[in-house]
Amino acid sequence: MDTTSRTYDVIAMGRSSIDLYSNDIGAPFEEITSFAAYVGGCPTNISVGTRRLGLRSALLTAIGDDQVGNFILHFLRREGVETQFIPRKPGRRSSAVVLGIEPPDRFPLTYYRDNCADIELTIDDVLATPIAGSRALLITGTGLSKEPSRSATLFAAEMARLAGATILLDIDFRPDQWHDQRAFGVTLRSALRLVDIVLGTEDEINAAMLTDPDQISITHSQISDARVSGDTDAAIQQLLNLGPRVLVQKRGAAGSRVHLVSGADGAMRIDVPGFPVEVKNILGAGDAFASGFLYGHINGWGWYKATRLGNACGAILVTQHGCANFMPTYNQVMTFIQDRGGF
Amino acid sequence: MDTTSRTYDVIAMGRSSIDLYSNDIGAPFEEITSFAAYVGGCPTNISVGTRRLGLRSALLTAIGDDQVGNFILHFLRREGVETQFIPRKPGRRSSAVVLGIEPPDRFPLTYYRDNCADIELTIDDVLATPIAGSRALLITGTGLSKEPSRSATLFAAEMARLAGATILLDIDFRPDQWHDQRAFGVTLRSALRLVDIVLGTEDEINAAMLTDPDQISITHSQISDARVSGDTDAAIQQLLNLGPRVLVQKRGAAGSRVHLVSGADGAMRIDVPGFPVEVKNILGAGDAFASGFLYGHINGWGWYKATRLGNACGAILVTQHGCANFMPTYNQVMTFIQDRGGF
Amino acid sequence: MDTTSRTYDVIAMGRSSIDLYSNDIGAPFEEITSFAAYVGGCPTNISVGTRRLGLRSALLTAIGDDQVGNFILHFLRREGVETQFIPRKPGRRSSAVVLGIEPPDRFPLTYYRDNCADIELTIDDVLATPIAGSRALLITGTGLSKEPSRSATLFAAEMARLAGATILLDIDFRPDQWHDQRAFGVTLRSALRLVDIVLGTEDEINAAMLTDPDQISITHSQISDARVSGDTDAAIQQLLNLGPRVLVQKRGAAGSRVHLVSGADGAMRIDVPGFPVEVKNILGAGDAFASGFLYGHINGWGWYKATRLGNACGAILVTQHGCANFMPTYNQVMTFIQDRGGF
Amino acid sequence: MDTTSRTYDVIAMGRSSIDLYSNDIGAPFEEITSFAAYVGGCPTNISVGTRRLGLRSALLTAIGDDQVGNFILHFLRREGVETQFIPRKPGRRSSAVVLGIEPPDRFPLTYYRDNCADIELTIDDVLATPIAGSRALLITGTGLSKEPSRSATLFAAEMARLAGATILLDIDFRPDQWHDQRAFGVTLRSALRLVDIVLGTEDEINAAMLTDPDQISITHSQISDARVSGDTDAAIQQLLNLGPRVLVQKRGAAGSRVHLVSGADGAMRIDVPGFPVEVKNILGAGDAFASGFLYGHINGWGWYKATRLGNACGAILVTQHGCANFMPTYNQVMTFIQDRGGF
């Protein structure tokens, strides 16, 4: 199905937040004196990241009837992300994230997502959004964590599937957003029939096949960076059996590995090297990756080159303080790649 | 996989209730003076129905720490249904149903399912149940309506699939148990990859593909008998594309139609005639059908004969006052069939 | 303030239910085969009881959009209780009670009050009711158990106080309706400044001053008849210090004791003998008492005679099967008293 | 009752939060780039304020099992406020406040209090705190907004009353913390029988007697500074009739007015002038006032002098950026007063 004439290149659906990131880099959380104010949330970051690269990008999240919602909207509009489908949810609160930054490996995070607006996305909100007018739909694991967002997200994926759009799922495993961490995998596996491309870290891939909550370890309140043990290769094979044709395994500094379904002999692998940089803050790096990868995919690039662009975007972001506010532009990432020897 | 040596023939999972059925047959609800006290709930009825026919049957439901829970348990034990896996849920209430009976076509029903115990079934409850020790697992649509029961039910189906058990889904569409009636279809469709055999009426099949809530009409508070318009044949084809190999369409007095996935040319149909009887109370007839059908299936009967037994069980039940308490025994249903010319 | 010209003699505010009472008197709950269908709930019973005695009585309860709500309304209208102020609460359920009857001392009870309609009474519902047009307002402890009913009930009492109406509080202690049984007393004590006359059993009076949950013992699921230990006389004195001028202590077969605030020397007591009868079902006896007492009070009788009428109404009710449906008429209770030697 | 030998001078009970206050003074909320991180919440501010002045001060709030809770605790300990009675509430979140600062009159505020820890204070938490070992107990209106905090707060007041401690109520009207703004007044009025001294602004006093939600106007999301119209003098008289012997009316730059119950001829007034300063941020000024007032009261000062000290503390705080972190010490406030001509 030729989708090039569609209004949007990508609609991202799911959570958004004000991201409050410690300005006292290296200070323990108790001693933080101020926080920078950014915008974040996996699909929100990707909507901004793809927009900065040049895609026509829309976001379907929800905000409360509060100043924080205004803050999020104001930023998105300035970035040129389409915000007209974002509903206000009376009586619900715009999400917030509070983050400590102690590089290289401590990023304690507190979510303010109780009664949050974005988990109140409904099937009616989806119907008010031109899903069929987009070439790609990006959904996330957290969007499946609670109703009504869960069924709305699946409904959007069904609509996108019917319209021949590419459906990407960012696994986005946030353990404290689930009533039972095993329910995460159960739910994700049921959604995969609707997904073309899965994006996730090794921990997230293991989480998707988790059978025992003890496989998870969270240190320093790093909800967004849980360690999950497991047989990653077996997990990848099992996930690919459930519907997707591609699974991209994000491997941090080591780059990424693309797993393709390829007939009888199982999956085919493409290893795509990363770019070595000094880590300041890992949050949002995966979303920068997704933005670059999506840019390449929408423009018909091969898996290697699209993934390599994603790696570059991710590398740039880990050197930065925040998420959406620091997504690279097309020129920035291209210069970055050229400076490091090209694709 | 040979499963004949397993401990149970069928484990049914999901709701249970005290069923309070009007003793004033024909009286409007406002004028009812007494109610008979039975036990009901789709999977509960099926656990009793299959047991009476001779299967080794276990039930995984949950009850509150209340007298109504005792009532349900007492009945199941007397019937010989295995109840040892049924947890008590402190702070939750055993479900109740209050029903008026105005034949031939008014059966107003009120569910008492707020904060009910059976929707609190968890993955831990499933793990404490020998799912792999049963030849078949029966789950229901209502079991998917809310968490934690929803992910627990899918988890049980995954376990049964791994163990090579047959998985049956009774669609059991109860519109008032869902936050959005379109979410019912979204959720059901995501579960079908785990299901072998789907059981449903035409209304329920249409509900599974519902796009517009206006397709539903409920008269006289008949929550358990909503009319749902739609293109049933198209819906059957779509549902069969999502995983199941068999869909049994229950057609009331007209009998049943078995739809089989059969290679390139789509589904194959087997029409199985019903048994004409005078209707007293339609509730539970579908569960009696499922019991007979399951008996035949477990015993290796062909689709026609198993379905015909189901039709007979259903016909017997519509002449009765309640559900679980009136399921026919093997001898009763065989005599009934013989008296009407045999299979 | 002369209130004789007001439209209503009494407005009762609070819970209502379909009361399903075992028809198998003496059978353990598990073996009950049918339930009689009545109407109940403390203020509902009193609205019917006072009406049958001849008072102009209105009820402010709430019902769900369900058949059980219709059942309750239908009964009240037939009785001549004013129902026009009773709102329907969409998405909420009419309350239900299921009761076993094993005289003389086992009456196991299960409340279906999760998400119930009557606890959703709001200040707006109170404003839509002519509280100032009634000579008396009767409120209950259970009406204070949860919001929004709690603040609506207090608001109604403030309006009644302003209008010079008599405010009666039936303690109506139902331990499972409170998140913490000590919160019951805390809340009740805060309400007493608005109350003229308190009605309660010794157990309820002790519950109102409870400091340790272990003082409560509930046997055989008798939520409506918890035993609460304590120094009842001290409790009475403390309660009377908080606002009411009268506290009526219901003592079952032993009759009632009226405690009056009387200046410097504390409370004055009037002992009012009961009527010996054979107990069939104790539920509702206290509400029958309240009805008789209220009749006498509204008609300007003295404390002794009003209480004696209450005792007679209560005695009649314990010989009956249910609550509201069995409240005595004026002629019935007068004959009963005369047959036993008069007041 | 001589209470001078008690362990604490004051136990404050209720909410606490991380306070995130715009560092971009004057910027509209959407354009804020960073927030200073402080600690706040009415009783928390007062516990710090009284401690800095020299009182022995304990706080009974609750925090979640999160980094924000650690942040709050760390600050309180550094200040020397007793924190050993503060429980962690698993599954609940430490409260947060996000504030824009646009002097002189716009301070848009967003509360993150859904599922918050401090509203989960229970009667058991109160029993684990030596209420009887303190000379004064300070409670707040927001602590009465929801259960279980509401009954726990009233229970604490009952204990304090029994122990002969002074009970102060800061009205702390936060309209969005109530399901119905009229329920605020209903609830507050029921609590007053337990209160000795009430502290509130004119808006808050009017809110306590509010009959129509339209009396409230909130501009620029200033939840903590709602305007409430009404007859303040009549309201004061009505509130004083309900139990307290003193009501302190905070009048901003105009100082404060102390209303004393004084026998037959109603209340007596003492006007206490304020200190003119340039306003930077009004939040917390009332809590600084309460701290100074409490210091004077505990030390046996007269109403005028205690109130004048309160006025000075409040004046100092409005020139500061945040709340608890900027409470004046004894020396600071004494110097401030001397510099302005003394008491």
Side-chain angles (χ1 to χ4, degrees), chain B residues 289-320:
Chain B
F289 171 85
S291 302
F293 178 85
L294 244 165
Y295 180 87
H297 179 71
I298 287 290
N299 282 288
W301 296 7
W303 298 117
Y304 178 87
K305 192 176 170 192
T307 303
R308 180 79 169 152
L309 183 69
N311 287 350
C313 290
I316 290 172
L317 211 86
V318 294
T319 67
Q320 303 294 316

Side-chain angles (χ1 to χ4, degrees), chain B residues 33 35 37 93-94 111-112 221, chain C residues 33 35 37 67 93-94 111-112:
Chain B
T33 61
F35 291 91
R93 189 98 302 174
S94 304
Y111 276 119
Y112 281 89
S221 307
Chain C
T33 61
F35 290 91
Q67 295 278 351
R93 187 100 302 173
S94 303
Y111 276 119
Y112 281 88

Side-chain angles (χ1 to χ4, degrees), chain D residues 84-230:
Chain D
Q84 66 170 302
F85 313 117
I86 299 176
R88 296 254 182 194
K89 299 283 177 179
R92 299 275 166 170
R93 188 98 303 172
S94 303
S95 300
V97 169
V98 184
L99 183 79
I101 301 184
E102 301 175 62
D105 63 356
R106 294 194 186 185
F107 304 95
L109 183 152
T110 304
Y111 277 119
Y112 282 88
R113 290 184 55 76
D114 287 294
N115 191 35
C116 76
D118 62 50
I119 212 72
E120 278 298 300
L121 283 171
T122 64
I123 289 175
D124 287 315
D125 295 326
V126 171
L127 287 169
T129 304
I131 302 293
S134 180
R135 302 179 70 189
L137 172 73
L138 180 128
I139 60 174
T140 73
T142 302
L144 300 171
S145 62
K146 292 188 185 71
E147 291 289 1
S149 169
R150 189 183 60 79
S151 46
T153 301
L154 294 174
F155 187 85
E158 289 186 334
M159 284 181 67
R161 167 63 49 109
L162 221 58
T166 302
I167 301 162
L168 298 98
L169 169 75
D170 191 304
I171 299 183
D172 189 38
F173 177 51
R174 300 296 174 261
D176 73 346
Q177 298 303 303
W178 291 84
H179 71 280
D180 179 331
Q181 292 164 345
R182 294 162 298 189
F184 168 73
V186 169
T187 303
L188 203 86
R189 295 192 290 272
S190 281
L192 288 183
R193 68 174 180 96
L194 296 165
V195 174
D196 296 299
I197 302 173
V198 178
L199 310 175
T201 63
E202 292 173 28
D203 294 305
E204 290 180 323
I205 290 164
N206 290 338
M209 292 306 299
L210 176 86
T211 54
D212 181 348
D214 286 346
Q215 290 172 248
I216 301 179
S217 81
I218 296 174
T219 54
H220 312 302
S221 307
Q222 300 186 109
I223 303 302
S224 61
D225 194 31
R227 293 280 91 80
V228 188
S229 64

